[in-house]
Amino acid sequence: SREALSKMTPEQLRAFGRKRHAIPAQPRDGREFPVSFAQQRLWFLSQMDASSDAYHIAQGVELSGALNREALQGALDQLVVRHESLRTHFEAVDGVPYQRIDAPTAFVLLEHDLSNLDTEAQQRELFALQTLETTASFDLERGPLLRGRLIRLAAERHVLLLTMHHIVSDGWSMGVLSRELEALYSARVRGEADNLPALPVQYADYAMWQRERLSGDRLARASGYWRETLQGAPSLLELPTDRKRPAEQDYRGALLEVQLDAALTQALKALSLKHGGTLYMTLMAAWSVVLSRLSGQTDVVVGTPVANRGRSEVEGLIGFFVNTLAVRVDLEGATVSALIEQVKQRVLSAQEHQELPFEQVV
C-alpha cells in the first residue's frame, strides 16, 4: 500500500523496486519459449540468407603449456550445462520463431594435429582451419549454435577456436565465456569443484520478461521518445565513397584499425573530464564532426552499440542482449564545448531509453 511504502527507508524502497521488477524464473516443462526482440531480428535476417557468416562471433586463443584435454572437455561440457542459450535451437510455428532448449550433451570439440608440419605449412593450414571455422554456416533449426576446434601445433602449444551464432551471444557474452571457461578448466586441473555462483535466471526467462515488459504504456512511452528524437532526421549519411552504395548490404566492408598515441589519449581524457563527460562521449563528438565534414551534413545520426544489460540478473549470462542506439547530433554552428555537452546529454538520454529494440525504432 502507499502507506507502507511511505514508511520504507530509501534502501528498502530500492530493494522493493528491484524485487518488483525482477526477472522471474519460468518453469521448464519442455515447452517452447518466445524469442527476444533481438533474436527475432536475427532470425528474420537468417531466413533471407541462411549461408551468411555476417553474424558469427569467433574467438581464438593460443594455449601454452601442458594441456589437460580431459579438463578442457569437462569445462566445455559444464558451460553447455550452465548456459541454456548454448543448447538452444529455434523452431518456427506458423512463421513465428520460438526457442527450444535441448537437454545437455557432451560438447563436440573437433581436433586437428598440425605438429608434424613445418612452420610455413602449419601457419597456412591453421589459417585455412580458422577460415573454415568462422565461415561455416549454422543451422538455427537444429543447432548447436556453439562449436569449437582444438588445433595442436606442438606438445605444449595449442589453439582453441570457438564460434557462436550472434542469436545466442554478443560481445559481452564472449567475456563471460572466457572467464568461466578458464575458471572451470582451472578447477578441474586442480581436481576441485567449480565455485561459480548459480545463475538466477536463464536467457529464455529474460526473453519472456522482455516481451511482457515492453508492452502497453511502457512501449508507447519508449516509442514516443524515439519518434520525437528522430523526427525529420536524415535517412542516409551521404559520404563521398569511391563506389556506389549497394542497393542491398553485402557485408564486404573491411576493418581499419586506428590507434591514438599516449599523449593524445591523455589530452582527450583531460578534455572529457573538463566537460564532465567520458572519453567515449568526446570521441563520439569528434567522430560526428568527421562525418559532418565528409558528408556536408550538419544533422548526423550515429549508430552505437549498448550492452543493454540493465538488470543484475543478466550480467553473467551468455546471450544476445546488445542493442543499437541511434544518437542524433546537431553540428550547426556548434563550438567544441557546446558539442561535447550536447553529445553527453544525448548519449545519456539514449542510454536511458536503450531497451526499445533498434528494429522497432526503425
Side-chain angles (χ1 to χ4, degrees):
S1 67
R2 290 186 178 180
E3 182 180 356
L5 288 174
S6 67
K7 295 179 181 179
M8 288 184 179
T9 65
E11 182 55 40
Q12 288 174 325
L13 283 171
R14 285 192 290 270
F16 174 76
R18 287 193 295 269
K19 184 176 180 180
R20 181 186 178 193
H21 298 293
I23 301 173
Q26 301 292 333
R28 298 296 190 266
D29 51 11
R31 64 194 175 96
E32 69 260 346
F33 285 87
V35 296
S36 69
F37 291 114
Q39 286 180 325
Q40 184 174 350
R41 178 169 75 246
L42 282 200
W43 180 86
F44 175 78
L45 291 173
S46 74
Q47 305 309 297
M48 299 172 61
D49 184 4
S51 64
S52 173
D53 61 0
Y55 292 99
H56 293 184
I57 301 179
Q59 179 170 296
V61 59
E62 185 170 329
L63 308 174
S64 300
L67 177 67
N68 186 324
R69 175 65 181 77
E70 184 178 344
L72 178 61
Q73 181 67 55
L76 288 166
D77 290 347
Q78 184 59 29
L79 267 179
V80 174
V81 172
R82 181 172 167 81
H83 294 275
E84 289 181 350
S85 55
L86 301 183
R87 44 190 169 91
T88 295
H89 68 274
F90 298 83
E91 297 177 2
V93 178
D94 297 328
V96 178
Y98 289 90
Q99 298 184 66
R100 285 281 191 181
I101 302 167
D102 299 318
T105 57
F107 181 79
V108 178
L109 183 62
L110 302 178
E111 297 189 54
H112 308 268
D113 189 350
L114 307 183
S115 60
N116 61 335
L117 301 178
D118 61 52
T119 301
E120 184 177 338
Q122 195 176 77
Q123 291 302 308
R124 187 167 57 248
E125 186 64 20
L126 176 60
F127 179 76
L129 287 171
Q130 289 174 319
T131 303
L132 175 63
E133 173 56 39
T134 56
T135 58
S137 299
F138 283 100
D139 187 341
L140 299 190
E141 289 189 33
R142 299 179 60 185
L145 302 180
L146 165 68
R147 61 177 183 237
R149 295 174 190 262
L150 180 64
I151 303 167
R152 186 175 190 264
L153 302 178
E156 296 193 355
R157 186 169 170 239
H158 296 76
V159 172
L160 176 65
L161 304 177
L162 295 174
T163 309
M164 290 190 277
H165 195 285
H166 201 353
I167 201 169
V168 295
S169 183
D170 56 19
W172 180 300
S173 298
M174 296 306 284
V176 173
L177 183 146
S178 296
R179 290 192 301 273
E180 293 198 353
L181 182 59
E182 181 178 357
L184 292 169
Y185 174 78
S186 298
R188 279 163 173 72
V189 168
R190 296 191 302 267
E192 303 172 357
D194 72 80
N195 59 356
L196 293 177
L199 297 172
V201 295
Q202 293 284 340
Y203 188 85
D205 300 312
Y206 161 78
M208 182 169 288
W209 173 83
Q210 183 196 44
R211 290 277 178 179
E212 294 174 352
R213 178 177 171 84
L214 271 180
S215 60
D217 291 343
R218 191 176 191 90
L219 177 60
R221 287 195 302 270
S223 300
Y225 165 81
W226 287 107
R227 188 178 296 111
E228 180 181 350
T229 299
L230 298 175
Q231 181 68 37
S235 58
L236 289 176
L237 187 68
E238 299 292 353
L239 295 173
T241 52
D242 61 347
R243 65 197 68 190
K244 189 177 181 181
R245 182 193 297 268
E248 185 176 323
Q249 189 172 6
D250 56 19
Y251 303 104
R252 289 190 298 166
L255 184 68
L256 179 65
E257 185 177 281
V258 177
Q259 292 189 353
L260 308 182
D261 61 42
L264 180 55
T265 301
Q266 283 302 115
L268 287 168
K269 288 181 177 179
L271 181 64
S272 306
L273 188 62
K274 176 182 177 183
H275 292 284
T278 63
L279 181 60
Y280 164 80
M281 294 169 181
T282 300
L283 290 174
M284 170 75 87
W287 179 238
S288 301
V289 171
V290 172
L291 295 178
S292 176
R293 290 185 175 178
L294 289 174
S295 65
Q297 299 170 221
T298 57
D299 191 354
V300 172
V301 182
V302 180
T304 179
V306 64
N308 197 28
R309 296 190 186 226
R311 298 291 313 179
S312 60
E313 301 100 308
V314 304
E315 288 182 358
L317 290 183
I318 294 175
F320 185 18
F321 295 90
V322 69
N323 196 14
T324 299
L325 301 181
V327 179
R328 186 177 185 180
V329 183
D330 178 10
L331 295 110
E332 186 69 47
T335 63
V336 171
S337 298
L339 180 59
I340 294 177
E341 179 62 28
Q342 178 197 155
V343 170
K344 170 186 171 182
Q345 296 304 325
R346 296 195 177 188
V347 165
L348 290 174
S349 183
Q351 290 179 346
E352 187 179 344
H353 296 85
Q354 66 179 269
E355 66 179 352
L356 189 70
F358 177 68
E359 74 278 358
Q360 291 197 30
V361 174
V362 174

